[in-house]
Amino acid sequence: MYLNLEDLKKGMYGEILNVITRSADNANQAISDAMAEVESYLCARYDMKTEYAKTGDQRSEMVVKIVRDIALYNCYKISNPVNMPESRRNTYKDAVPYLKEVQAER
């Protein structure tokens, strides 16, 4: 998979991630959903299958960041949307317009 739990821990303390995801399956579902969302915006301009096949330092730092931010948002959405930090919600709200701008080639 393009991202893994270690990648998510770069955006959130591991202890908090463990509490909100409760299982690796939930975290992996959040990552898969985030990848699908990002791909839906960027597939018209970029070969996302090729990007998602990359590993480690070969991956685009910006795509990794956006997928990670959306995946962390999804982790809260799956398990604890009521207690989601406003900063996490805002990060997601910033990511979507950015993806739309990239999609529109602006």
Side-chain angles (χ1 to χ4, degrees):
M1 189 176 296
Y2 189 69
L3 254 64
N4 58 41
L5 288 173
E6 291 306 310
D7 291 315
L8 292 184
K9 289 177 184 175
K10 293 177 182 173
M12 174 184 289
Y13 291 118
E15 301 82 21
I16 296 171
L17 184 62
N18 290 338
V19 169
I20 66 167
T21 59
R22 298 184 183 173
S23 75
D25 288 343
N26 287 341
N28 288 330
Q29 184 62 53
I31 292 169
S32 292
D33 291 349
M35 289 172 60
E37 184 171 353
V38 170
E39 184 174 6
S40 73
Y41 288 107
L42 301 183
C43 67
R45 290 197 63 205
Y46 300 101
D47 181 0
M48 295 308 294
K49 301 262 187 260
T50 299
E51 177 60 31
Y52 285 162
K54 295 177 182 177
T55 60
D57 291 340
Q58 296 174 329
R59 302 176 297 177
S60 164
E61 289 181 32
M62 183 55 81
V63 175
V64 168
K65 179 192 176 312
I66 292 170
V67 172
R68 181 179 52 234
D69 286 344
I70 293 173
L72 291 171
Y73 171 84
N74 289 343
C75 287
Y76 273 104
K77 199 169 74 172
I78 289 169
S79 67
N80 200 356
V82 173
N83 292 323
M84 185 184 303
E86 193 63 31
S87 61
R88 182 64 51 207
R89 217 180 301 274
N90 289 338
T91 300
Y92 177 77
K93 288 179 183 178
D94 291 342
V96 171
Y98 174 78
L99 289 169
K100 287 179 180 180
E101 290 292 316
V102 172
Q103 180 186 45
E105 298 184 20
R106 288 185 278 235

